[in-house]
Amino acid sequence: MSLKHFSVDYDQVNERGTFSSGDVLSGRVTVVAGEDTKVQSLTVKAKGNVEVKWYGQDGASTVLHRDEKKYFCLERIILQDKKIGDGSEIIHQGRSVYPFTFVIPNIDMPSSYEGKWGRITYSLQAQLTQSIGKIHKTRIEFPFRTKSEFPFAAKSEMPIVVLQEQQCATKISFCGSGKVTLNVTSEKMGLTQGETMDVSVEVINGSNSAVTPKFFLCEKQIFVARAATTVHTSEILFGTGESVSAWTSRTIRNVLSIPPQLSPTFFNCSMIKLEYTLKVTLGGQLARDPDIKLPLVILPGSSQPCHQKAKCGSFHSKKVSN
């Protein structure tokens, strides 16, 4: 092959390595050719896209639910032969670098995200066409961060002050020997990535069994494909409190820490949504294990770096049969 290397990469615009609406996205396409090579065209595209896909059951049949939406698709033609299709453009032997610049559309778009059955991606794709049957492609994703003021709210009028208010809930569970009352108070509803929160649990154990409070972070991913909806849930054990003996009461205070790598809550995508709850349960010989769920909104940390660094995309070639 005359083409030894073909890649696309971009320049970071901040310490987090993320891009947002209205940012300038600059980069370069690098081509290393083993000899002078005739090409028809060299193009680069910047794309924003959301796609969901999962399989469901409709009676005895398996049904594919799939949908996608493009937020934007920008294209730059770097090289193009003078007569379309005649391969008159030449990429000379050795290393050639072709810079490009895009301005990301200044519209409301969700942050990059990868869930169980869907992805929100922003990418650069370069394509070099040598002939109608010989195409080379290379692609790289860049991390995008929304500028939406309320990505965490189903309704944009949700006041930010609500996220700082204390939350309380009570639940009573009956069993043969008595009842257990569980009172849970969380410091607030909204926390940033990596932030800690005080949670107070009062247990009034009026039964003859010891109970132990456990703390869980519950994640709920919602996927929508046209008229179909599916949900994926998961739980992370935050920690376990001290045991409360039979016929006693105790108030337990725990400090819970939000993992910094956890994706923020968002509702500003029509096909994927992400939400969280704090769940407190009691184990023991109860007829029914009581649990309390409090809403939890995870906000993006202002100084959290992006784990994906700028890098070159690898390339692949495709031969097209006539």
Side-chain angles (χ1 to χ4, degrees), residues 4-271:
K4 302 298 182 183
H5 176 82
F6 182 40
S7 66
V8 60
D9 64 280
Y10 59 86
D11 300 320
Q12 293 188 3
V13 293
N14 54 46
E15 292 181 355
R16 295 187 303 270
T18 59
F19 292 84
S20 297
S21 299
D23 283 349
V24 175
L25 174 61
S26 298
R28 65 209 57 80
V29 177
T30 302
V31 182
V32 178
E35 59 187 21
D36 287 357
T37 304
K38 290 183 177 182
V39 300
Q40 291 181 357
S41 65
L42 174 59
T43 61
V44 60
K45 292 181 180 180
K47 297 181 179 181
N49 186 70
V50 54
E51 180 182 12
V52 295
K53 182 174 67 173
W54 74 90
Y55 290 93
Q57 291 297 126
D58 184 5
S61 303
T62 300
V63 180
L64 172 63
H65 299 282
R66 185 180 182 278
D67 201 0
E68 66 177 324
K69 175 182 177 180
K70 283 186 172 61
Y71 291 111
F72 65 88
C73 182
L74 309 174
E75 182 177 17
R76 294 285 182 271
I77 299 175
I78 298 174
L79 294 176
Q80 184 170 285
D81 53 14
K82 298 176 180 64
K83 295 181 180 180
I84 303 299
D86 69 351
S88 58
E89 278 290 338
I90 302 293
I91 293 181
H92 295 288
Q93 180 180 8
R95 185 173 184 267
S96 301
V97 179
Y98 304 95
F100 61 82
T101 297
F102 293 103
V103 178
I104 299 174
N106 196 11
I107 57 177
D108 180 24
M109 294 179 286
S111 298
S112 302
Y113 178 73
E114 182 163 2
K116 179 70 173 179
W117 292 300
R119 301 182 71 209
I120 302 170
T121 58
Y122 299 85
S123 63
L124 288 165
Q125 179 177 302
Q127 177 172 307
L128 189 151
T129 303
Q130 287 185 262
S131 64
I132 196 170
K134 199 170 187 180
I135 299 174
H136 309 279
K137 293 183 179 181
T138 181
R139 180 180 182 274
I140 184 175
E141 294 182 9
F142 59 89
F144 183 86
R145 183 168 178 165
T146 186
K147 273 189 174 179
S148 174
E149 188 177 3
F150 298 101
F152 52 81
K155 296 181 179 179
S156 61
E157 63 266 21
M158 178 181 180
I160 193 76
V161 68
V162 172
L163 301 180
Q164 305 303 317
E165 293 181 351
Q166 189 182 73
Q167 299 186 91
C168 301
T170 298
K171 191 163 188 179
I172 298 174
S173 180
F174 293 93
C175 58
S177 58
K179 66 179 182 180
V180 178
T181 303
L182 176 63
N183 298 311
V184 178
T185 303
S186 68
E187 182 182 3
K188 53 187 174 180
M189 182 193 299
L191 296 93
T192 58
Q193 295 164 304
E195 190 179 358
T196 59
M197 175 178 67
D198 291 329
V199 178
S200 175
V201 178
E202 181 189 22
V203 181
I204 304 172
N205 189 0
S207 73
N208 57 7
S209 300
V211 293
T212 303
K214 293 184 178 180
F215 304 86
F216 295 88
L217 174 65
C218 303
E219 179 187 80
K220 183 179 181 181
Q221 303 173 15
I222 305 167
F223 303 90
V224 180
R226 297 180 175 88
T229 301
T230 190
V231 174
H232 174 71
T233 59
S234 60
E235 293 183 351
I236 301 172
L237 178 62
F238 260 146
T240 302
E242 298 176 10
S243 179
V244 181
S245 303
W247 311 108
T248 63
S249 62
R250 173 179 289 180
T251 298
I252 300 164
R253 290 180 172 83
N254 268 24
V255 177
L256 308 182
S257 179
I258 301 300
Q261 72 277 10
L262 214 61
S263 296
T265 304
F266 69 88
F267 285 87
N268 63 332
C269 176
S270 60
M271 295 163 57

